[in-house]
Amino acid sequence: MIYSFINELWVFLNQISPYLIFGFIIAGILSVMISQEFIESHLGKQSGILSVFKAAILGIPLPLCSCSVIPVSASLKKHGASKASISSFLLSTPQTGVDSIMVTYGLLGPIVAIIRPIIALITGLVGGIAVHLIDNVYDENSPVEECKEHCCKHHQQSTLKKILTYSFVTLPKDIAKPLVYGIIIASLINLFLPDELFSNYLGDGILPMIFMIIIGTPLYVCATASIPIALAMISKGATIGAALVFLMVGPATNTTSITTMLKILGKRSTLITLSVLIITSLLFGLLIDNLNLTYDVFKNYIPHHHHEHISLFHNICSIFFLGILINTLIVPKFSKK
């Protein structure tokens, strides 16, 4: 049993690591091109539908999960961003990122990799517009506070060093723990849950999607870590639509982010934001499940992953990624002693 569990972990690690490492590098490049100052300059002190659209677009490639997106959103509020643009940013950003898009492509195929950012964009636009129409209280005279956080300070580093530091130190620190938890949970699901769990107990349609919302809303799982879990649930009979609901709701919410969201947006806008997320996830889940041709493409692609031959390249990437995890999770603990 222990050997089977370790083997499952290694299989998932081999599947994920090449795409994750490449995604880290692209994210590092984006961190230089799209800095927090750049985001604040385009979203701060702006209101209207255009700011909502900008927030959704800027949020899609950023590798920020539901917890790390909160400090950026708080900073946006300090710089005068509207509730609508912040809501749009909070919905579009955690659902996806360049690293999670790469892993989605590797584990779930190109169609899901394309669909995820499109859905994130639509969700952000709908949520932002809803807040703009219902509860967009924007004070034109609100003072702009100077950002004194560490992330706002200018660092005298070369561009290459900034990219590498973000790619292999900063970003892994943000997603390492939830990613490890996600791989462990996915491995346990594969080992211990019956193959026809969803079809036998939850069936098709909206019920398994509601189940995904119930388990995904309080769970802290980043966009990348949610992918192995979704893949494992598909192997246990979950439909693509139900898995997509988890991929939307899981990364976008957790109990901590919801509490902080209340402070940033207020009760009404938080309720609107969460309602839009739940409703759009159900609609897109049902839509995907009713597209039989698309579902067949998914169904033909996904089952081949778990038993493919593991190449030397994948093993090397896995070992390199393990080194990143050790440097992120273990080395800092020893350096404090």
Side-chain angles (χ1 to χ4, degrees):
M1 184 63 68
I2 295 177
Y3 172 79
S4 298
F5 177 67
I6 294 175
N7 184 62
E8 285 289 337
L9 289 176
W10 189 248
V11 168
F12 269 120
L13 199 60
N14 271 269
Q15 292 172 351
I16 226 175
S17 47
Y19 302 97
L20 197 54
I21 291 169
F22 182 70
F24 281 171
I25 296 171
I26 300 299
I29 296 172
L30 286 176
S31 72
V32 174
M33 296 174 59
I34 310 177
S35 63
Q36 185 166 334
E37 292 87 347
F38 177 87
I39 296 171
E40 289 163 354
S41 68
H42 283 79
L43 300 183
K45 265 306 185 186
Q46 291 192 26
S47 60
I49 301 300
L50 181 59
S51 69
V52 171
F53 183 77
K54 284 184 176 180
I57 289 291
L58 287 173
I60 287 173
L62 296 180
L64 300 176
C65 62
S66 57
C67 276
S68 57
V69 74
I70 290 295
V72 179
S73 301
S75 181
L76 289 175
K77 182 182 180 182
K78 289 180 180 180
H79 285 75
S82 66
K83 282 186 178 182
S85 61
I86 294 174
S87 174
S88 178
F89 189 77
L90 284 169
L91 283 171
S92 66
T93 307
Q95 288 189 53
T96 185
V98 65
D99 56 325
S100 69
I101 292 172
M102 292 305 304
V103 176
T104 302
Y105 175 82
L107 294 188
L108 298 178
I111 296 179
V112 186
I114 294 171
I115 286 176
R116 284 192 78 186
I118 292 174
I119 291 176
L121 173 63
I122 294 173
T123 307
L125 290 175
V126 173
I129 292 171
V131 171
H132 176 75
L133 295 175
I134 300 173
D135 187 37
N136 191 25
V137 179
Y138 185 80
D139 184 5
E140 292 287 348
N141 299 314
S142 61
V144 177
E145 299 182 26
E146 180 183 357
C147 181
K148 299 180 181 179
E149 299 298 326
H150 177 73
C151 59
C152 293
K153 296 178 181 178
H154 177 69
H155 298 281
Q156 299 298 326
Q157 295 179 340
S158 67
T159 300
L160 179 60
K161 187 173 182 180
K162 287 180 180 178
I163 291 173
L164 293 177
T165 300
Y166 189 87
S167 298
F168 300 120
V169 178
T170 305
L171 180 56
K173 281 183 180 179
D174 189 36
I175 72 169
K177 284 186 179 179
L179 182 57
V180 170
Y181 295 153
I183 294 174
I184 291 174
I185 292 171
S187 299
L188 292 173
I189 290 172
N190 273 335
L191 283 176
F192 295 109
L193 295 186
D195 289 340
E196 303 301 325
L197 172 68
F198 281 85
S199 56
N200 288 343
Y201 296 98
L202 296 174
D204 298 327
I206 199 170
L207 184 59
M209 299 178 190
I210 294 175
F211 173 75
M212 292 294 197
I213 291 173
I214 292 172
I215 64 173
T217 299
L219 187 66
Y220 175 37
V221 54
C222 64
T224 305
S226 65
I227 301 166
I229 299 176
L231 180 63
M233 289 182 175
I234 291 171
S235 71
K236 300 304 177 183
T239 65
I240 300 296
L244 186 64
V245 170
F246 181 79
L247 289 173
M248 290 178 65
V249 176
T253 61
N254 64 69
T255 51
T256 303
S257 67
I258 292 172
T259 303
T260 313
M261 199 184 297
L262 288 167
K263 297 178 182 179
I264 296 175
L265 294 178
K267 292 180 180 179
R268 180 178 293 183
S269 289
T270 298
L271 181 60
I272 295 169
T273 301
L274 294 177
S275 298
V276 166
L277 176 64
I278 291 171
I279 292 170
T280 53
S281 68
L282 289 174
L283 289 176
F284 278 112
L286 291 170
L287 176 63
I288 293 298
D289 277 352
N290 280 283
L291 295 176
N292 294 323
L293 178 61
T294 306
Y295 180 74
D296 288 339
V297 174
F298 289 143
K299 192 167 58 177
N300 291 334
Y301 185 86
I302 290 171
H304 297 294
H305 282 286
H306 246 69
H307 302 286
E308 286 182 350
H309 175 69
I310 298 174
S311 68
L312 177 61
F313 173 72
H314 284 76
N315 278 306
I316 292 173
C317 289
S318 297
I319 293 170
F320 181 69
F321 182 63
L322 282 176
I324 295 174
L325 291 179
I326 291 170
N327 182 62
T328 301
L329 299 176
I330 299 176
V331 172
K333 293 183 179 181
F334 285 98
S335 62
K336 290 180 181 179
K337 295 181 179 180

